Amino acid sequence: MAEVRLLSEEPPTKGVYGRFGPHLRPHRTRILLALLTTALSTAAVVAIAPVIGQAVDSVLAGDRDGLWFAVIALVVLTLARFVLLAAAELQLTKVGEDIVRGLRELVVRRLSSAPLRFIEAHRTGDLLRRGTGEIADLAQFVRASLPDLLGVGIALTLTVVVLAVHSLLLTGIVLVVFVPAAILVLRWFDRDADDAYGAQAAADATMTAHFTELVTAREALRVNGGVAARLLRFRGANDQVLSTAGRTVAVRNRLEGMTLLEGLSTAVLLVLGVWLVSVDAITVGTVVVFVLATRNLFEGMLGLSELLAELQMVRTGLARLHDLLDATDTEAGSGKAAAPARGELTATGLEYSYVDGVAVLRDISVDLPVGSRTGLVGHTGSGKTTLAKILSGLYRPDRGTVRFGGVDLHELAESELRRAIVLVPQRVHMVEGSVADNLALAPTEPDRAAMDRAVADLGLTGWVAGLPEGLDSPVGARGDRLSAGEQQIIGLIRAALVDPAVLILDEATADIDPETSERLEGAVERLRSGRTLIVIAHREATIARLPQLVRLSGGSVS
């Protein structure tokens, strides 16, 4: 069995911000402008305390001009703060949304080109959580918390500068009393934050995976009576989410120690400030500045600690997102070669396993000449569908090669491979929308005229005309408004839009009404002209019409 890169439940968070840098680099000019605006907005807030202190000293000194100057300065600072804050938040939000949009598109590109074996090795819920949930959390942080985080960081720096200008003695006392204790609280939080937030993210992903599986398999569960057992598993996953969330809250509550430090530090400052005023070491205005500024300092530190908790969650999400990007940082096909217009499809010595030691295919070799019609037949579990996926390039064999026109499929560019060989599965993937929306999924990006031509070429004009709104008819969620046969008709029209050299059809096993069956057979007959046709055949009538058969039994050609 070929090695599959599995995602880590709790990937390491060390250095994750540095790895995020390349996503920021294209926006660095806008980011620097936003930071400058944020700095000016924060400076306006920090300047309010010194101006109020000056106003107090002016009142005590009977300086009316100084008082008026302070009042005017306060009005200007308040207005400047309002305008600059709005501008900074708008700039950061726009930049942040552009970065998040780029990440979303990158994840979609990586997952769409990831090997099918990688996708099948992971729960849909986990991939969904990493590809959407983690990015949504990042987007929320960028919109709501990042401006506050930058503002708090700048405010703390400027506040310390203001305090130092007014009294080095009191500033030293504040730093000696507050900073070491605050650092201890933050380190206490950080010591267990990685594990707590990582475990919660992993539990959330597991719960999402169980929920997705429960919804997806709802019909089979109800028919087979497995709902109770699946609900029990979901309940266990939900309990684990509750447990990990409780631990996360306990770790986060350690930050409440900052509130206690604020009260103690304020009391110390007031006592020392009164004594220094009594010995004429400082003015009353300076005490006012310290009371206001240190309050801003403490609130800023408390706000910073709370933002660090959110930042920790974002860091965990980024680590999980980067883990996904690293695991999918390979093209489905490593080659760049162009596919020949037509060619023989040959498989030599194929072996494949889903689980180590349990071979699904063993030493399979087949030759499929240009224009041939071949049926893959055998009992359920004999390896027909697996072989079809290998022949179409969706799976890469553990051993052996598949060549088209003498070129190894792995050497073909992905776009070339998808145009040369098309697989129409039993259950054609459908998206909610119209028939035309589903035909538009063809890699050729067809317009309405191309769709009409493909429908006519396959003799399906009457079928389309019989739909309520023609090509604009809605297909429902997952194509539920269409029968299994009609869904395969959609798949065949998509194939016609691609015009492949090789068409692989996995014949539907569900009961198909005679009229739809006749349409399918007619469409296949028209579509096979000039191309190689491979059919995973289930019906005796289909098998009888195929001149060449490859019979599989236990993973080998019998």
Side-chain angles (χ1 to χ4, degrees):
M1 176 180 175
E3 189 69 24
V4 179
R5 162 73 154 84
L6 296 178
L7 298 175
S8 172
E9 287 294 327
E10 299 179 29
T13 58
K14 185 177 180 180
V16 71
Y17 295 127
R19 298 181 59 201
F20 189 56
H23 302 291
L24 302 178
R25 198 168 294 125
H27 310 280
R28 55 183 177 271
T29 301
R30 296 166 62 195
I31 292 174
L32 288 174
L33 180 60
L35 290 176
L36 177 60
T37 308
T38 301
L40 293 174
S41 171
T42 305
V45 175
V46 174
I48 289 177
V51 171
I52 292 177
Q54 180 183 345
V56 171
D57 286 339
S58 297
V59 170
L60 295 177
D63 183 1
R64 294 173 60 87
D65 292 339
L67 179 60
W68 276 110
F69 175 82
V71 170
I72 294 173
L74 281 174
V75 173
V76 172
L77 288 173
T78 301
L79 292 176
R81 159 68 172 173
F82 175 78
V83 173
L84 291 171
L85 179 62
E89 289 184 347
L90 182 61
Q91 290 170 338
L92 286 172
T93 298
K94 286 184 176 180
V95 173
E97 288 297 337
D98 285 343
I99 295 170
V100 169
R101 181 182 62 185
L103 281 173
R104 286 195 189 102
E105 293 176 352
L106 177 60
V107 168
V108 170
R109 286 199 304 271
R110 291 284 178 83
L111 285 176
S112 62
S113 62
L116 188 58
R117 175 172 269 177
F118 170 83
I119 301 297
E120 293 177 343
H122 294 88
R123 289 177 169 177
T124 303
D126 190 20
L127 296 177
L128 180 66
R129 174 63 189 171
R130 295 186 190 230
T132 59
E134 312 295 6
I135 295 179
D137 291 343
L138 176 62
Q140 178 62 24
F141 178 80
V142 167
R143 285 193 296 264
S145 301
L146 184 58
D148 292 339
L149 181 63
L150 296 174
V152 166
I154 296 171
L156 290 174
T157 302
L158 295 179
T159 298
V160 171
V161 172
V162 168
L163 293 177
V165 168
H166 282 78
S167 173
L168 287 174
L169 175 61
L170 287 180
T171 302
I173 292 172
V174 169
L175 296 180
V176 169
V177 172
F178 178 70
V179 172
I183 291 174
L184 288 175
V185 171
L186 293 177
R187 292 188 64 181
W188 185 34
F189 164 78
D190 193 58
R191 186 185 67 190
D192 298 317
D194 269 355
D195 291 341
Y197 283 92
Q200 183 178 357
D204 283 340
T206 300
M207 186 269 291
T208 303
H210 281 301
F211 179 80
T212 304
E213 292 168 358
L214 182 63
V215 173
T216 303
R218 65 193 186 284
E219 185 175 339
L221 291 172
R222 292 181 66 181
V223 170
N224 298 317
V227 175
R230 184 62 66 170
L231 284 175
L232 187 61
R233 292 183 61 186
F234 177 76
R235 188 175 297 113
N238 213 15
D239 289 342
Q240 184 64 22
V241 170
L242 182 61
S243 175
T244 55
R247 184 188 175 199
T248 302
V249 171
V251 171
R252 185 167 184 163
N253 282 342
R254 296 175 184 179
L255 297 175
E256 293 301 319
M258 301 293 289
T259 304
L260 176 61
L261 291 177
E262 177 184 351
L264 292 175
S265 301
T266 301
V268 171
L269 277 177
L270 286 174
V271 171
L272 290 176
V274 170
W275 176 71
L276 290 173
V277 169
S278 67
V279 297
D280 294 328
I282 58 175
T283 66
V284 174
T286 298
V287 175
V288 172
V289 170
F290 263 81
V291 170
L292 295 176
T294 51
R295 179 178 176 81
N296 291 339
L297 181 68
F298 301 145
E299 289 181 350
M301 287 296 294
L302 182 60
L304 179 62
S305 63
E306 293 174 349
L307 288 169
L308 286 176
E310 296 183 22
L311 195 61
Q312 179 60 44
M313 185 173 291
V314 171
R315 184 167 67 171
T316 300
L318 279 178
R320 289 169 57 80
L321 179 59
H322 275 298
D323 187 37
L324 174 63
L325 293 175
D326 288 344
T328 54
D329 191 16
T330 55
E331 296 181 0
S334 61
K336 303 294 182 183
R342 292 289 186 268
E344 184 179 27
L345 186 65
T346 61
T348 307
L350 298 183
E351 293 189 11
Y352 191 87
S353 300
Y354 291 102
V355 180
D356 284 333
V358 182
V360 177
L361 297 178
R362 302 179 186 86
D363 195 26
I364 299 290
S365 296
V366 294
D367 295 320
L368 304 169
V370 177
S372 62
R373 292 185 296 155
T374 305
L376 300 182
V377 298
H379 296 296
T380 301
S382 60
K384 302 186 299 297
T385 299
T386 301
L387 178 58
K389 289 181 177 179
I390 293 177
L391 293 175
S392 66
L394 290 176
Y395 284 168
R396 189 175 181 183
D398 298 336
R399 290 187 180 84
T401 58
V402 180
R403 297 180 181 276
F404 174 65
V407 183
D408 191 326
L409 296 190
H410 190 61
E411 296 176 0
L412 294 175
E414 178 70 12
S415 59
E416 291 287 311
L417 176 59
R418 293 296 146 240
R419 290 174 186 271
I421 305 174
V422 169
L423 169 64
V424 180
Q426 278 191 32
R427 187 165 183 83
V428 176
H429 177 74
M430 308 288 286
V431 298
E432 189 166 2
S434 66
V435 172
D437 291 332
N438 281 273
L439 295 181
L441 296 177
T444 52
E445 299 181 0
D447 56 18
R448 182 57 72 94
M451 295 178 192
D452 290 335
R453 285 195 300 272
V455 169
D457 289 344
L458 296 183
L460 295 170
T461 303
W463 174 72
V464 172
L467 297 174
E469 299 176 48
L471 290 179
D472 294 317
S473 301
V475 300
R478 297 175 296 276
D480 290 345
R481 295 190 182 182
L482 301 178
S483 68
E486 289 175 322
Q487 290 180 21
Q488 280 216 320
I489 288 177
I490 298 293
L492 288 174
I493 299 173
R494 282 185 198 159
L497 289 166
V498 176
D499 188 25
V502 179
L503 174 65
I504 304 175
L505 173 65
D506 192 351
E507 187 179 45
T509 56
D511 289 334
I512 299 178
D513 64 89
E515 186 176 0
T516 302
S517 179
E518 185 178 348
R519 287 196 179 102
L520 268 173
E521 292 171 4
V524 171
E525 188 66 23
R526 288 171 178 249
L527 188 55
R528 77 173 183 84
S529 177
R531 71 187 87 244
T532 302
L533 175 66
I534 304 168
V535 179
I536 302 177
H538 304 286
R539 294 183 177 86
E540 291 297 331
T542 304
I543 295 173
R545 287 198 302 270
L546 295 169
Q548 178 178 335
L549 298 178
V550 175
R551 293 187 178 274
L552 295 176
S553 177
S556 301
V557 176
S558 61

